[in-house]
Amino acid sequence: MARGRFISVEGGEGAGKSTNIEGVRARLHAAGLRVVVTREPGGTPLAEEIRQLLLAPRDEGVCEDTELLLVFAARMQHVERVIKPALARGDWVISDRFTDATIAYQGAGRRMGVERIQALRRLLLGDFAPDLTLLLDVPVDSGMQRLAGRGAPDRFEMEGREFFERVRAAYLQLAAAEPARFRVIDAAQELPAVQAAVAQAVEGFLAQGTTP
Ligand code: Z5A
């Protein structure tokens, strides 16, 4: 049986990842593919518990390495228990965020250094990576406006504008460095235009063929 393909969806605050993932799922399903939709941090019961630990605001300062290792602990559980088994049985996987988020948020946002994250990625994941990454790019102010009034911010949403500017710049650098894997979508457009751009990117990927 042919291995499934792995699609990640990335972007900063309010970029519209959750909103657009349903369209990706529907298009793949219409092409007759079995699809698993999942997310990071999370995707298994244990990894979802780690997500709660990561997102909850707390009085105790969280050390950067603690945050980084929690992110990767959740990821390894997710990869080994959900993503790789799904791909092996021929399902396609769509993940709301993957390792590029760690490079953007911990590497650039937290200023831990991109090479430090890449080294950990290589150690733990080897060359395992998404086949396609949709980067929904939106100016920081627009994304933040979309989330205004959504309720109590989580530990990341409490960060300032400069943090999210670094995150956005890092994502765009990653996309520029790997143009074959990334499709950058202008997510500042009206939703129908974003959905059309996402659909076009998925169609293009499907047209390349489904065999890795
Ligand atoms: N994190 C990390 O630090 N390191 C890692 O390695 C990983 C994650 C994997 C949780 O992620 C946090 O984990 C995240 C990074 C960190 N921190 N933050 N912040 P998450 O992905 O679960 O959380 P999120 O980024 O905050 O996702 P989100 O708030 O759900 O955003 P979204 O999914 O991109 O957006 P949305 O929910 O689809 O849309 C937001 C609103 O905008 C909603 O009202 C939509 O109706 C609206 N929207 C969407 N598109 C449009 C357009 N085109 N026009 C107008 N309005 C729109």
Side-chain angles (χ1 to χ4, degrees), residues 144-208:
M144 283 179 151
Q145 274 167 19
R146 287 181 188 170
L147 297 184
R150 195 166 71 160
D154 65 34
R155 206 168 55 79
F156 291 95
E157 291 165 348
M158 294 164 89
E159 292 295 333
R161 193 174 183 287
E162 296 71 26
F163 177 93
F164 294 109
E165 290 289 1
R166 291 196 294 277
V167 168
R168 183 184 184 207
Y171 269 133
L172 290 171
Q173 276 178 18
L174 284 166
E178 279 190 79
R181 172 164 69 93
F182 276 87
R183 305 287 182 279
V184 182
I185 311 287
D186 176 4
Q189 306 172 88
E190 297 288 321
L191 184 55
V194 178
Q195 288 170 321
V198 167
Q200 190 179 21
V202 172
E203 293 299 336
F205 185 68
L206 285 169
Q208 290 173 10

Side-chain angles (χ1 to χ4, degrees), residues 11-20 39-41 51 55 67 71 75 96-99 101-102 105-106 146-147 150 154 156-157 164 187-191 194:
E13 299 305 279
K17 293 177 287 90
S18 314
T19 307
N20 283 285
R39 70 171 181 182
E40 290 211 342
R51 177 188 178 90
L55 297 193
E67 179 175 293
V71 165
R75 176 161 302 131
D96 186 339
R97 298 196 185 280
F98 196 62
T99 307
T102 318
Y105 280 81
Q106 280 66 48
R146 287 181 188 170
L147 297 184
R150 195 166 71 160
D154 65 34
F156 291 95
E157 291 165 348
F164 294 109
Q189 306 172 88
E190 297 288 321
L191 184 55
V194 178

Side-chain angles (χ1 to χ4, degrees), residues 49-89:
E49 285 188 38
I50 297 172
R51 177 188 178 90
Q52 298 307 321
L53 292 175
L54 277 162
L55 297 193
R58 60 187 72 244
D59 294 335
E60 178 183 354
V62 179
C63 300
E64 289 175 349
D65 281 329
T66 306
E67 179 175 293
L68 177 63
L69 292 174
L70 282 172
V71 165
F72 267 102
R75 176 161 302 131
M76 296 319 293
Q77 190 72 9
H78 187 212
V79 167
E80 296 301 330
R81 295 285 171 179
V82 174
I83 300 179
K84 283 186 175 174
L87 297 174
R89 63 177 182 260

